[in-house]
Amino acid sequence: MRKVSFADMNCSIAQALEIIGEWWTLLIVRDCFLGIRRFDDFVERLGISRNVLTDRLDKLVAADVIERRPYDEGRLRYDYVLTPKGRALWPVITTLREWGDEWITGEGNEPILIEHRSCGNVTHTRLVCDCCGEPLVARDVRVVDGPGSR
Amino acid sequence: MRKVSFADMNCSIAQALEIIGEWWTLLIVRDCFLGIRRFDDFVERLGISRNVLTDRLDKLVAADVIERRPYDEGRLRYDYVLTPKGRALWPVITTLREWGDEWITGEGNEPILIEHRSCGNVTHTRLVCDCCGEPLVARDVRVVDGPGSR
DNA sequence: CTACGTGGGTTGCATGAAGCAACTCAACGT
DNA sequence: ACGTTGAGTTGCTTCATGCAACCCACGTAG
């Protein structure tokens, strides 16, 4: 862990970053979504050093974001797959990717795109209000105290 | 910068994390959304050390996520406000907060909630397909090469 | 007009994290 | 019996972070 932890901040963003906010961690999760499972494959794709990868995988397992499973009994071979909690990170990864597409790599230079199977279109995402279904933007939102406020 | 940069990876997630993926950085952006503008206020609210805050603010300004503005001519007083690129991070912050609410702090313990002014409800967000308007989840999406693929 | 307070930083030092290469270790395969 | 493979450890060096103290220009109080 770093010298200063976010764990005691009363904020879900800080709590989330405590788990997935370290350098390399979200790229590991990204690769999990792309189907990478094995230690040496992470090392090769990411260019991460092996000791740091060990550290990050252990923390993600401890946080129940991924699961370590033996895939070859007898041999000591393990792989890593997303848990439901890990798969729930898909909107975070997606909004982050689209922000990068729009503001850094630029339209027309997207390294990857997504196709929505149900409708068949290569598409983007939109964040909408769960109540009224209208698009949500920051200036149309008011922050209010929640039940866990202190 | 860290010893290993993500900048040369052909992935918008890596590009995005190069800017906002360092320890403390996204908490600084979060506080910007909450209206914090001044150096000492960031220090006090976050508990961040002053040299690290200087480093992160400089990088965010260089990346055009926030802007450094004099707010008192004559005195050397500056504050920091989000640019359009910075405000575009709202969906990232929001999906991250909702993941933390759901999987870490737990329902009923949310430190803050959001109210949608247009419809008046305390609400959550939902990520939908921009084409068909249906909710998007990972397993209903196929990753395809984009124009910037290599 | 000297002293103190305020805001926004720097500087120096001690400690923790990251990068790198080499090493380990227990099955297999040949 | 020997090398290969996968999944890590270990040791060393260098970079990043935390912390406290300091700086500096302006404004204000005495």
Side-chain angles (χ1 to χ4, degrees):
Chain A
M1 192 66 49
R2 267 181 188 67
K3 296 196 185 177
V4 169
S5 155
F6 301 158
D8 57 345
M9 297 181 182
N10 186 36
C11 169
S12 294
I13 301 168
Q15 301 294 325
L17 289 173
E18 182 74 19
I19 294 178
I20 57 160
E22 284 190 298
W23 206 236
W24 291 112
T25 300
L26 216 46
L27 288 184
I28 293 168
V29 174
R30 173 203 67 181
D31 272 9
C32 288
F33 274 106
L34 294 174
I36 307 303
R37 296 165 168 243
R38 284 166 28 190
F39 192 90
D40 283 6
D41 289 343
F42 286 111
V43 170
E44 190 183 356
R45 278 182 53 89
L46 294 171
I48 188 176
S49 58
R50 308 174 76 79
N51 50 352
V52 175
L53 178 59
T54 299
D55 176 79
R56 296 301 189 273
L57 289 173
D58 287 351
K59 285 175 179 167
L60 286 172
V61 168
D64 192 33
V65 171
I66 58 177
E67 190 188 353
R68 182 177 188 260
R69 304 182 320 180
Y71 70 87
D72 185 350
E73 314 287 349
R75 290 212 242 193
L76 310 164
R77 300 295 153 85
Y78 301 94
D79 63 4
Y80 298 89
V81 293
L82 292 168
T83 61
K85 183 173 175 180
R87 285 193 295 273
L89 281 168
W90 192 77
V92 176
I93 302 257
T94 299
T95 50
L96 191 62
R97 178 179 51 73
E98 294 198 342
W99 183 78
D101 281 343
E102 184 171 355
W103 295 93
I104 307 170
T105 52
E107 201 175 339
N109 300 312
E110 298 90 343
I112 65 165
L113 294 170
I114 58 169
E115 180 186 300
H116 188 203
R117 290 185 212 272
S118 312
C119 74
N121 290 300
V122 171
T123 186
H124 293 277
T125 69
R126 189 163 26 113
L127 203 62
V128 302
C129 173
D130 197 34
C131 291
C132 69
E134 291 299 307
L136 270 178
V137 289
R139 70 172 188 288
D140 203 29
V141 161
R142 201 166 66 88
V143 174
V144 298
D145 279 353
S149 159
R150 54 174 156 85
Chain B
M1 194 65 52
R2 267 181 188 64
K3 296 197 186 174
V4 169
S5 156
F6 301 158
D8 55 347
M9 296 182 183
N10 186 35
C11 168
S12 294
I13 300 168
Q15 301 293 325
L17 289 174
E18 182 74 18
I19 294 178
I20 58 161
E22 283 190 300
W23 206 237
W24 291 112
T25 301
L26 215 47
L27 288 184
I28 294 168
V29 174
R30 173 203 66 179
D31 272 8
C32 289
F33 275 105
L34 293 174
I36 308 302
R37 296 164 167 241
R38 285 167 26 192
F39 192 91
D40 284 6
D41 290 342
F42 286 110
V43 170
E44 189 183 357
R45 279 182 52 90
L46 294 172
I48 189 176
S49 58
R50 308 173 75 80
N51 50 352
V52 175
L53 179 59
T54 299
D55 176 77
R56 296 301 190 274
L57 289 173
D58 287 351
K59 285 175 179 167
L60 286 171
V61 168
D64 193 30
V65 171
I66 58 176
E67 190 188 354
R68 183 176 187 262
R69 305 182 319 180
Y71 69 87
D72 185 349
E73 315 284 349
R75 290 211 244 192
L76 310 164
R77 300 296 153 86
Y78 301 94
D79 62 6
Y80 298 88
V81 293
L82 291 168
T83 61
K85 183 174 175 180
R87 284 193 296 273
L89 281 168
W90 192 79
V92 176
I93 302 257
T94 298
T95 52
L96 191 61
R97 179 180 50 73
E98 294 198 342
W99 182 79
D101 281 343
E102 185 172 353
W103 294 93
I104 308 170
T105 54
E107 201 176 338
N109 299 312
E110 299 89 344
I112 65 165
L113 293 169
I114 58 168
E115 180 186 299
H116 189 203
R117 288 186 212 271
S118 312
C119 74
N121 290 300
V122 171
T123 188
H124 293 278
T125 70
R126 191 164 23 115
L127 203 61
V128 302
C129 173
D130 199 34
C131 292
C132 68
E134 291 301 306
L136 270 178
V137 289
R139 71 172 187 288
D140 203 28
V141 161
R142 202 166 66 88
V143 174
V144 298
D145 280 353
S149 159
R150 54 174 157 85

